[in-house]
PDB file of all heavy atoms in Angstrom:
ATOM      1  N   LYS A  11    -142.461 117.266  86.125  1.00 70.00           N
ATOM      2  CA  LYS A  11    -142.836 115.884  85.822  1.00 70.00           C
ATOM      3  C   LYS A  11    -144.005 115.378  86.655  1.00 70.00           C
ATOM      4  O   LYS A  11    -144.617 114.376  86.322  1.00 70.00           O
ATOM      5  CB  LYS A  11    -141.621 114.963  86.023  1.00 70.00           C
ATOM      6  CG  LYS A  11    -140.447 115.291  85.121  1.00 70.00           C
ATOM      7  CD  LYS A  11    -139.277 114.367  85.390  1.00 70.00           C
ATOM      8  CE  LYS A  11    -138.089 114.708  84.492  1.00 70.00           C
ATOM      9  NZ  LYS A  11    -136.916 113.829  84.759  1.00 70.00           N
ATOM     10  N   SER A  12    -144.258 116.050  87.747  1.00 70.00           N
ATOM     11  CA  SER A  12    -145.293 115.529  88.634  1.00 70.00           C
ATOM     12  C   SER A  12    -146.138 116.659  89.185  1.00 70.00           C
ATOM     13  O   SER A  12    -145.827 117.834  89.029  1.00 70.00           O
ATOM     14  CB  SER A  12    -144.662 114.748  89.780  1.00 70.00           C
ATOM     15  OG  SER A  12    -143.890 115.615  90.593  1.00 70.00           O
ATOM     16  N   LYS A  13    -147.203 116.297  89.836  1.00 80.00           N
ATOM     17  CA  LYS A  13    -148.097 117.256  90.480  1.00 80.00           C
ATOM     18  C   LYS A  13    -147.931 117.198  92.001  1.00 80.00           C
ATOM     19  O   LYS A  13    -148.903 117.195  92.743  1.00 80.00           O
ATOM     20  CB  LYS A  13    -149.552 116.958  90.091  1.00 80.00           C
ATOM     21  CG  LYS A  13    -149.873 117.238  88.634  1.00 80.00           C
ATOM     22  CD  LYS A  13    -149.896 118.744  88.359  1.00 80.00           C
ATOM     23  CE  LYS A  13    -150.333 119.032  86.929  1.00 80.00           C
ATOM     24  NZ  LYS A  13    -150.355 120.481  86.649  1.00 80.00           N
ATOM     25  N   LYS A  14    -146.676 117.127  92.431  1.00 89.00           N
ATOM     26  CA  LYS A  14    -146.433 117.084  93.858  1.00 89.00           C
ATOM     27  C   LYS A  14    -146.904 118.375  94.514  1.00 89.00           C
ATOM     28  O   LYS A  14    -146.948 119.423  93.889  1.00 89.00           O
ATOM     29  CB  LYS A  14    -144.937 116.871  94.136  1.00 89.00           C
ATOM     30  CG  LYS A  14    -144.433 115.495  93.744  1.00 89.00           C
ATOM     31  CD  LYS A  14    -142.963 115.334  94.107  1.00 89.00           C
ATOM     32  CE  LYS A  14    -142.461 113.945  93.739  1.00 89.00           C
ATOM     33  NZ  LYS A  14    -141.020 113.774  94.068  1.00 89.00           N
ATOM     34  N   LYS A  15    -147.246 118.285  95.779  1.00 93.00           N
ATOM     35  CA  LYS A  15    -147.779 119.426  96.512  1.00 93.00           C
ATOM     36  C   LYS A  15    -146.755 120.553  96.603  1.00 93.00           C
ATOM     37  O   LYS A  15    -145.579 120.327  96.865  1.00 93.00           O
ATOM     38  CB  LYS A  15    -148.198 118.985  97.915  1.00 93.00           C
ATOM     39  CG  LYS A  15    -148.852 120.090  98.727  1.00 93.00           C
ATOM     40  CD  LYS A  15    -149.257 119.593 100.105  1.00 93.00           C
ATOM     41  CE  LYS A  15    -149.877 120.727 100.918  1.00 93.00           C
ATOM     42  NZ  LYS A  15    -150.258 120.282 102.283  1.00 93.00           N
ATOM     43  N   PHE A  16    -147.235 121.758  96.375  1.00 95.00           N
ATOM     44  CA  PHE A  16    -146.400 122.953  96.497  1.00 95.00           C
ATOM     45  C   PHE A  16    -145.995 123.138  97.960  1.00 95.00           C
ATOM     46  O   PHE A  16    -146.828 123.129  98.863  1.00 95.00           O
ATOM     47  CB  PHE A  16    -147.186 124.161  96.001  1.00 95.00           C
ATOM     48  CG  PHE A  16    -146.487 125.483  96.153  1.00 95.00           C
ATOM     49  CD1 PHE A  16    -145.260 125.719  95.543  1.00 95.00           C
ATOM     50  CD2 PHE A  16    -147.060 126.507  96.902  1.00 95.00           C
ATOM     51  CE1 PHE A  16    -144.622 126.943  95.673  1.00 95.00           C
ATOM     52  CE2 PHE A  16    -146.438 127.731  97.038  1.00 95.00           C
ATOM     53  CZ  PHE A  16    -145.213 127.950  96.418  1.00 95.00           C
ATOM     54  N   VAL A  17    -144.689 123.278  98.183  1.00 97.00           N
ATOM     55  CA  VAL A  17    -144.156 123.416  99.537  1.00 97.00           C
ATOM     56  C   VAL A  17    -143.285 124.665  99.615  1.00 97.00           C
ATOM     57  O   VAL A  17    -142.455 124.910  98.734  1.00 97.00           O
ATOM     58  CB  VAL A  17    -143.320 122.177  99.942  1.00 97.00           C
ATOM     59  CG1 VAL A  17    -142.745 122.358 101.349  1.00 97.00           C
ATOM     60  CG2 VAL A  17    -144.155 120.910  99.873  1.00 97.00           C
ATOM     61  N   VAL A  18    -143.478 125.456 100.665  1.00 98.00           N
ATOM     62  CA  VAL A  18    -142.659 126.643 100.873  1.00 98.00           C
ATOM     63  C   VAL A  18    -141.757 126.429 102.074  1.00 98.00           C
ATOM     64  O   VAL A  18    -142.239 126.177 103.183  1.00 98.00           O
ATOM     65  CB  VAL A  18    -143.537 127.898 101.093  1.00 98.00           C
ATOM     66  CG1 VAL A  18    -142.657 129.118 101.340  1.00 98.00           C
ATOM     67  CG2 VAL A  18    -144.430 128.136  99.887  1.00 98.00           C
ATOM     68  N   HIS A  19    -140.459 126.483 101.841  1.00 98.00           N
ATOM     69  CA  HIS A  19    -139.467 126.298 102.910  1.00 98.00           C
ATOM     70  C   HIS A  19    -139.101 127.667 103.486  1.00 98.00           C
ATOM     71  O   HIS A  19    -138.669 128.552 102.760  1.00 98.00           O
ATOM     72  CB  HIS A  19    -138.217 125.604 102.361  1.00 98.00           C
ATOM     73  CG  HIS A  19    -138.482 124.234 101.818  1.00 98.00           C
ATOM     74  ND1 HIS A  19    -138.453 123.094 102.602  1.00 98.00           N
ATOM     75  CD2 HIS A  19    -138.800 123.824 100.565  1.00 98.00           C
ATOM     76  CE1 HIS A  19    -138.728 122.040 101.860  1.00 98.00           C
ATOM     77  NE2 HIS A  19    -138.947 122.450 100.619  1.00 98.00           N
ATOM     78  N   LYS A  20    -139.254 127.806 104.783  1.00 98.00           N
ATOM     79  CA  LYS A  20    -139.039 129.113 105.414  1.00 98.00           C
ATOM     80  C   LYS A  20    -137.873 129.127 106.392  1.00 98.00           C
ATOM     81  O   LYS A  20    -137.624 130.149 107.033  1.00 98.00           O
ATOM     82  CB  LYS A  20    -140.324 129.552 106.126  1.00 98.00           C
ATOM     83  CG  LYS A  20    -141.509 129.681 105.196  1.00 98.00           C
ATOM     84  CD  LYS A  20    -142.772 130.067 105.946  1.00 98.00           C
ATOM     85  CE  LYS A  20    -143.972 130.085 105.018  1.00 98.00           C
ATOM     86  NZ  LYS A  20    -145.230 130.404 105.737  1.00 98.00           N
ATOM     87  N   LYS A  21    -137.160 128.017 106.478  1.00 98.00           N
ATOM     88  CA  LYS A  21    -136.019 127.969 107.386  1.00 98.00           C
ATOM     89  C   LYS A  21    -134.722 128.040 106.588  1.00 98.00           C
ATOM     90  O   LYS A  21    -134.380 127.120 105.844  1.00 98.00           O
ATOM     91  CB  LYS A  21    -136.058 126.689 108.229  1.00 98.00           C
ATOM     92  CG  LYS A  21    -137.201 126.653 109.230  1.00 98.00           C
ATOM     93  CD  LYS A  21    -137.131 125.414 110.113  1.00 98.00           C
ATOM     94  CE  LYS A  21    -138.257 125.403 111.139  1.00 98.00           C
ATOM     95  NZ  LYS A  21    -138.212 124.187 111.998  1.00 98.00           N
ATOM     96  N   LEU A  22    -134.042 129.153 106.714  1.00 98.00           N
ATOM     97  CA  LEU A  22    -132.749 129.349 106.077  1.00 98.00           C
ATOM     98  C   LEU A  22    -131.728 129.634 107.168  1.00 98.00           C
ATOM     99  O   LEU A  22    -132.042 130.293 108.157  1.00 98.00           O
ATOM    100  CB  LEU A  22    -132.791 130.524 105.093  1.00 98.00           C
ATOM    101  CG  LEU A  22    -133.779 130.420 103.922  1.00 98.00           C
ATOM    102  CD1 LEU A  22    -133.782 131.710 103.121  1.00 98.00           C
ATOM    103  CD2 LEU A  22    -133.443 129.240 103.033  1.00 98.00           C
ATOM    104  N   ASP A  23    -130.521 129.140 106.986  1.00 98.00           N
ATOM    105  CA  ASP A  23    -129.460 129.336 107.980  1.00 98.00           C
ATOM    106  C   ASP A  23    -128.424 130.307 107.418  1.00 98.00           C
ATOM    107  O   ASP A  23    -127.798 130.040 106.398  1.00 98.00           O
ATOM    108  CB  ASP A  23    -128.811 127.986 108.307  1.00 98.00           C
ATOM    109  CG  ASP A  23    -127.930 128.039 109.546  1.00 98.00           C
ATOM    110  OD1 ASP A  23    -127.297 129.086 109.788  1.00 98.00           O
ATOM    111  OD2 ASP A  23    -127.861 127.025 110.275  1.00 98.00           O
ATOM    112  N   GLY A  24    -128.257 131.424 108.100  1.00 98.00           N
ATOM    113  CA  GLY A  24    -127.349 132.462 107.619  1.00 98.00           C
ATOM    114  C   GLY A  24    -125.916 132.334 108.084  1.00 98.00           C
ATOM    115  O   GLY A  24    -125.102 133.247 107.844  1.00 98.00           O
ATOM    116  N   ASN A  25    -125.552 131.212 108.688  1.00 98.00           N
ATOM    117  CA  ASN A  25    -124.178 131.022 109.164  1.00 98.00           C
ATOM    118  C   ASN A  25    -123.279 130.558 108.022  1.00 98.00           C
ATOM    119  O   ASN A  25    -122.713 129.457 108.043  1.00 98.00           O
ATOM    120  CB  ASN A  25    -124.153 130.015 110.313  1.00 98.00           C
ATOM    121  CG  ASN A  25    -124.770 130.582 111.573  1.00 98.00           C
ATOM    122  OD1 ASN A  25    -124.295 131.580 112.111  1.00 98.00           O
ATOM    123  ND2 ASN A  25    -125.842 129.959 112.040  1.00 98.00           N
ATOM    124  N   VAL A  26    -123.170 131.403 107.020  1.00 98.00           N
ATOM    125  CA  VAL A  26    -122.399 131.104 105.815  1.00 98.00           C
ATOM    126  C   VAL A  26    -121.542 132.316 105.470  1.00 98.00           C
ATOM    127  O   VAL A  26    -121.755 133.416 105.986  1.00 98.00           O
ATOM    128  CB  VAL A  26    -123.332 130.766 104.635  1.00 98.00           C
ATOM    129  CG1 VAL A  26    -124.133 129.506 104.921  1.00 98.00           C
ATOM    130  CG2 VAL A  26    -124.282 131.938 104.357  1.00 98.00           C
ATOM    131  N   ALA A  27    -120.576 132.118 104.583  1.00 98.00           N
ATOM    132  CA  ALA A  27    -119.703 133.223 104.182  1.00 98.00           C
ATOM    133  C   ALA A  27    -119.159 132.963 102.779  1.00 98.00           C
ATOM    134  O   ALA A  27    -119.228 131.841 102.265  1.00 98.00           O
ATOM    135  CB  ALA A  27    -118.550 133.401 105.171  1.00 98.00           C
ATOM    136  N   ILE A  28    -118.642 134.023 102.171  1.00 98.00           N
ATOM    137  CA  ILE A  28    -118.003 133.941 100.862  1.00 98.00           C
ATOM    138  C   ILE A  28    -116.580 134.468 100.999  1.00 98.00           C
ATOM    139  O   ILE A  28    -116.368 135.539 101.569  1.00 98.00           O
ATOM    140  CB  ILE A  28    -118.753 134.777  99.810  1.00 98.00           C
ATOM    141  CG1 ILE A  28    -120.185 134.289  99.651  1.00 98.00           C
ATOM    142  CG2 ILE A  28    -118.027 134.739  98.454  1.00 98.00           C
ATOM    143  CD1 ILE A  28    -121.059 135.214  98.798  1.00 98.00           C
ATOM    144  N   LEU A  29    -115.609 133.727 100.487  1.00 98.00           N
ATOM    145  CA  LEU A  29    -114.213 134.176 100.493  1.00 98.00           C
ATOM    146  C   LEU A  29    -113.666 134.105  99.083  1.00 98.00           C
ATOM    147  O   LEU A  29    -113.635 133.039  98.467  1.00 98.00           O
ATOM    148  CB  LEU A  29    -113.360 133.304 101.426  1.00 98.00           C
ATOM    149  CG  LEU A  29    -111.857 133.625 101.430  1.00 98.00           C
ATOM    150  CD1 LEU A  29    -111.601 135.055 101.881  1.00 98.00           C
ATOM    151  CD2 LEU A  29    -111.089 132.632 102.303  1.00 98.00           C
ATOM    152  N   LYS A  30    -113.243 135.250  98.581  1.00 98.00           N
ATOM    153  CA  LYS A  30    -112.659 135.315  97.244  1.00 98.00           C
ATOM    154  C   LYS A  30    -111.150 135.287  97.368  1.00 98.00           C
ATOM    155  O   LYS A  30    -110.545 136.162  97.991  1.00 98.00           O
ATOM    156  CB  LYS A  30    -113.111 136.593  96.544  1.00 98.00           C
ATOM    157  CG  LYS A  30    -112.651 136.707  95.097  1.00 98.00           C
ATOM    158  CD  LYS A  30    -113.314 137.895  94.423  1.00 98.00           C
ATOM    159  CE  LYS A  30    -112.992 137.948  92.930  1.00 98.00           C
ATOM    160  NZ  LYS A  30    -113.773 138.995  92.241  1.00 98.00           N
ATOM    161  N   LEU A  31    -110.534 134.268  96.793  1.00 97.00           N
ATOM    162  CA  LEU A  31    -109.079 134.177  96.820  1.00 97.00           C
ATOM    163  C   LEU A  31    -108.464 135.284  95.970  1.00 97.00           C
ATOM    164  O   LEU A  31    -109.068 135.738  94.990  1.00 97.00           O
ATOM    165  CB  LEU A  31    -108.621 132.816  96.282  1.00 97.00           C
ATOM    166  CG  LEU A  31    -108.986 131.580  97.108  1.00 97.00           C
ATOM    167  CD1 LEU A  31    -108.451 130.324  96.424  1.00 97.00           C
ATOM    168  CD2 LEU A  31    -108.446 131.683  98.532  1.00 97.00           C
ATOM    169  N   PHE A  32    -107.274 135.705  96.353  1.00 98.00           N
ATOM    170  CA  PHE A  32    -106.544 136.698  95.562  1.00 98.00           C
ATOM    171  C   PHE A  32    -105.046 136.480  95.779  1.00 98.00           C
ATOM    172  O   PHE A  32    -104.630 135.985  96.836  1.00 98.00           O
ATOM    173  CB  PHE A  32    -106.943 138.128  95.971  1.00 98.00           C
ATOM    174  CG  PHE A  32    -106.721 138.432  97.430  1.00 98.00           C
ATOM    175  CD1 PHE A  32    -105.520 138.952  97.883  1.00 98.00           C
ATOM    176  CD2 PHE A  32    -107.725 138.171  98.361  1.00 98.00           C
ATOM    177  CE1 PHE A  32    -105.318 139.233  99.224  1.00 98.00           C
ATOM    178  CE2 PHE A  32    -107.533 138.440  99.710  1.00 98.00           C
ATOM    179  CZ  PHE A  32    -106.321 138.975 100.141  1.00 98.00           C
ATOM    180  N   PRO A  33    -104.246 136.798  94.789  1.00 97.00           N
ATOM    181  CA  PRO A  33    -102.802 136.650  94.944  1.00 97.00           C
ATOM    182  C   PRO A  33    -102.307 137.490  96.116  1.00 97.00           C
ATOM    183  O   PRO A  33    -102.590 138.688  96.198  1.00 97.00           O
ATOM    184  CB  PRO A  33    -102.246 137.176  93.616  1.00 97.00           C
ATOM    185  CG  PRO A  33    -103.356 136.985  92.642  1.00 97.00           C
ATOM    186  CD  PRO A  33    -104.610 137.256  93.425  1.00 97.00           C
ATOM    187  N   GLY A  34    -101.605 136.857  97.042  1.00 96.00           N
ATOM    188  CA  GLY A  34    -101.110 137.565  98.209  1.00 96.00           C
ATOM    189  C   GLY A  34    -101.969 137.388  99.445  1.00 96.00           C
ATOM    190  O   GLY A  34    -101.677 137.976 100.497  1.00 96.00           O
ATOM    191  N   ILE A  35    -103.034 136.607  99.343  1.00 97.00           N
ATOM    192  CA  ILE A  35    -103.850 136.357 100.516  1.00 97.00           C
ATOM    193  C   ILE A  35    -102.983 135.748 101.616  1.00 97.00           C
ATOM    194  O   ILE A  35    -102.124 134.900 101.355  1.00 97.00           O
ATOM    195  CB  ILE A  35    -105.048 135.433 100.186  1.00 97.00           C
ATOM    196  CG1 ILE A  35    -106.009 135.359 101.378  1.00 97.00           C
ATOM    197  CG2 ILE A  35    -104.591 134.044  99.755  1.00 97.00           C
ATOM    198  CD1 ILE A  35    -107.324 134.655 101.055  1.00 97.00           C
ATOM    199  N   THR A  36    -103.160 136.194 102.837  1.00 97.00           N
ATOM    200  CA  THR A  36    -102.295 135.750 103.930  1.00 97.00           C
ATOM    201  C   THR A  36    -102.944 134.638 104.743  1.00 97.00           C
ATOM    202  O   THR A  36    -104.162 134.428 104.692  1.00 97.00           O
ATOM    203  CB  THR A  36    -101.984 136.917 104.876  1.00 97.00           C
ATOM    204  OG1 THR A  36    -103.202 137.344 105.508  1.00 97.00           O
ATOM    205  CG2 THR A  36    -101.344 138.078 104.116  1.00 97.00           C
ATOM    206  N   LYS A  37    -102.098 133.979 105.492  1.00 97.00           N
ATOM    207  CA  LYS A  37    -102.563 132.905 106.359  1.00 97.00           C
ATOM    208  C   LYS A  37    -103.563 133.438 107.378  1.00 97.00           C
ATOM    209  O   LYS A  37    -104.583 132.794 107.673  1.00 97.00           O
ATOM    210  CB  LYS A  37    -101.358 132.273 107.073  1.00 97.00           C
ATOM    211  CG  LYS A  37    -101.702 131.102 107.982  1.00 97.00           C
ATOM    212  CD  LYS A  37    -100.443 130.506 108.587  1.00 97.00           C
ATOM    213  CE  LYS A  37    -100.763 129.327 109.493  1.00 97.00           C
ATOM    214  NZ  LYS A  37     -99.528 128.747 110.100  1.00 97.00           N
ATOM    215  N   ASN A  38    -103.291 134.634 107.908  1.00 97.00           N
ATOM    216  CA  ASN A  38    -104.189 135.217 108.904  1.00 97.00           C
ATOM    217  C   ASN A  38    -105.578 135.474 108.337  1.00 97.00           C
ATOM    218  O   ASN A  38    -106.589 135.245 109.014  1.00 97.00           O
ATOM    219  CB  ASN A  38    -103.608 136.530 109.442  1.00 97.00           C
ATOM    220  CG  ASN A  38    -102.453 136.308 110.397  1.00 97.00           C
ATOM    221  OD1 ASN A  38    -102.314 135.213 110.957  1.00 97.00           O
ATOM    222  ND2 ASN A  38    -101.623 137.324 110.580  1.00 97.00           N
ATOM    223  N   VAL A  39    -105.627 135.977 107.110  1.00 98.00           N
ATOM    224  CA  VAL A  39    -106.923 136.253 106.489  1.00 98.00           C
ATOM    225  C   VAL A  39    -107.707 134.958 106.295  1.00 98.00           C
ATOM    226  O   VAL A  39    -108.888 134.855 106.657  1.00 98.00           O
ATOM    227  CB  VAL A  39    -106.744 136.974 105.140  1.00 98.00           C
ATOM    228  CG1 VAL A  39    -108.062 137.019 104.372  1.00 98.00           C
ATOM    229  CG2 VAL A  39    -106.229 138.385 105.364  1.00 98.00           C
ATOM    230  N   LEU A  40    -107.063 133.953 105.711  1.00 98.00           N
ATOM    231  CA  LEU A  40    -107.733 132.681 105.447  1.00 98.00           C
ATOM    232  C   LEU A  40    -108.233 132.041 106.742  1.00 98.00           C
ATOM    233  O   LEU A  40    -109.394 131.647 106.851  1.00 98.00           O
ATOM    234  CB  LEU A  40    -106.794 131.733 104.709  1.00 98.00           C
ATOM    235  CG  LEU A  40    -107.353 130.331 104.406  1.00 98.00           C
ATOM    236  CD1 LEU A  40    -108.580 130.436 103.507  1.00 98.00           C
ATOM    237  CD2 LEU A  40    -106.288 129.453 103.766  1.00 98.00           C
ATOM    238  N   GLU A  41    -107.344 131.968 107.723  1.00 97.00           N
ATOM    239  CA  GLU A  41    -107.716 131.303 108.970  1.00 97.00           C
ATOM    240  C   GLU A  41    -108.758 132.100 109.750  1.00 97.00           C
ATOM    241  O   GLU A  41    -109.608 131.514 110.427  1.00 97.00           O
ATOM    242  CB  GLU A  41    -106.471 131.052 109.820  1.00 97.00           C
ATOM    243  CG  GLU A  41    -105.539 130.000 109.205  1.00 97.00           C
ATOM    244  CD  GLU A  41    -104.387 129.632 110.116  1.00 97.00           C
ATOM    245  OE1 GLU A  41    -104.146 130.366 111.102  1.00 97.00           O
ATOM    246  OE2 GLU A  41    -103.727 128.604 109.843  1.00 97.00           O
ATOM    247  N   SER A  42    -108.712 133.419 109.655  1.00 97.00           N
ATOM    248  CA  SER A  42    -109.706 134.243 110.345  1.00 97.00           C
ATOM    249  C   SER A  42    -111.108 133.965 109.824  1.00 97.00           C
ATOM    250  O   SER A  42    -112.075 133.885 110.592  1.00 97.00           O
ATOM    251  CB  SER A  42    -109.383 135.727 110.179  1.00 97.00           C
ATOM    252  OG  SER A  42    -108.186 136.063 110.837  1.00 97.00           O
ATOM    253  N   VAL A  43    -111.223 133.797 108.514  1.00 98.00           N
ATOM    254  CA  VAL A  43    -112.526 133.502 107.924  1.00 98.00           C
ATOM    255  C   VAL A  43    -112.963 132.089 108.284  1.00 98.00           C
ATOM    256  O   VAL A  43    -114.114 131.853 108.691  1.00 98.00           O
ATOM    257  CB  VAL A  43    -112.488 133.676 106.397  1.00 98.00           C
ATOM    258  CG1 VAL A  43    -113.794 133.202 105.761  1.00 98.00           C
ATOM    259  CG2 VAL A  43    -112.224 135.132 106.034  1.00 98.00           C
ATOM    260  N   LEU A  44    -112.049 131.135 108.149  1.00 98.00           N
ATOM    261  CA  LEU A  44    -112.391 129.736 108.422  1.00 98.00           C
ATOM    262  C   LEU A  44    -112.776 129.510 109.877  1.00 98.00           C
ATOM    263  O   LEU A  44    -113.506 128.563 110.204  1.00 98.00           O
ATOM    264  CB  LEU A  44    -111.222 128.823 108.043  1.00 98.00           C
ATOM    265  CG  LEU A  44    -110.887 128.742 106.551  1.00 98.00           C
ATOM    266  CD1 LEU A  44    -109.618 127.929 106.334  1.00 98.00           C
ATOM    267  CD2 LEU A  44    -112.046 128.132 105.770  1.00 98.00           C
ATOM    268  N   GLN A  45    -112.296 130.368 110.771  1.00 96.00           N
ATOM    269  CA  GLN A  45    -112.550 130.188 112.209  1.00 96.00           C
ATOM    270  C   GLN A  45    -113.634 131.137 112.744  1.00 96.00           C
ATOM    271  O   GLN A  45    -113.765 131.331 113.956  1.00 96.00           O
ATOM    272  CB  GLN A  45    -111.255 130.390 112.980  1.00 96.00           C
ATOM    273  CG  GLN A  45    -110.219 129.302 112.692  1.00 96.00           C
ATOM    274  CD  GLN A  45    -108.858 129.589 113.306  1.00 96.00           C
ATOM    275  OE1 GLN A  45    -108.714 130.504 114.109  1.00 96.00           O
ATOM    276  NE2 GLN A  45    -107.860 128.809 112.909  1.00 96.00           N
ATOM    277  N   ILE A  46    -114.431 131.709 111.849  1.00 97.00           N
ATOM    278  CA  ILE A  46    -115.555 132.541 112.302  1.00 97.00           C
ATOM    279  C   ILE A  46    -116.459 131.700 113.192  1.00 97.00           C
ATOM    280  O   ILE A  46    -116.871 130.598 112.808  1.00 97.00           O
ATOM    281  CB  ILE A  46    -116.350 133.077 111.096  1.00 97.00           C
ATOM    282  CG1 ILE A  46    -115.504 134.072 110.291  1.00 97.00           C
ATOM    283  CG2 ILE A  46    -117.651 133.745 111.552  1.00 97.00           C
ATOM    284  CD1 ILE A  46    -116.154 134.523 109.002  1.00 97.00           C
ATOM    285  N   PRO A  47    -116.782 132.190 114.393  1.00 97.00           N
ATOM    286  CA  PRO A  47    -117.655 131.420 115.285  1.00 97.00           C
ATOM    287  C   PRO A  47    -119.001 131.098 114.630  1.00 97.00           C
ATOM    288  O   PRO A  47    -119.590 131.940 113.962  1.00 97.00           O
ATOM    289  CB  PRO A  47    -117.844 132.367 116.482  1.00 97.00           C
ATOM    290  CG  PRO A  47    -116.643 133.254 116.462  1.00 97.00           C
ATOM    291  CD  PRO A  47    -116.317 133.441 115.010  1.00 97.00           C
ATOM    292  N   GLU A  48    -119.456 129.870 114.795  1.00 97.00           N
ATOM    293  CA  GLU A  48    -120.750 129.399 114.283  1.00 97.00           C
ATOM    294  C   GLU A  48    -120.802 129.240 112.764  1.00 97.00           C
ATOM    295  O   GLU A  48    -121.855 128.874 112.216  1.00 97.00           O
ATOM    296  CB  GLU A  48    -121.892 130.332 114.713  1.00 97.00           C
ATOM    297  CG  GLU A  48    -121.988 130.606 116.203  1.00 97.00           C
ATOM    298  CD  GLU A  48    -122.178 129.338 117.021  1.00 97.00           C
ATOM    299  OE1 GLU A  48    -122.888 128.435 116.557  1.00 97.00           O
ATOM    300  OE2 GLU A  48    -121.587 129.242 118.124  1.00 97.00           O
TER     301      GLU A  48
END
């Protein structure tokens, strides 16, 4: 819609994770992921 200036963002933060739920997932597994440092 506009001719705004092209901007390249180079700061990405890798302190992320993916957790796939599954039947039988345990409390230890869930909490271990949620409590990953940083």
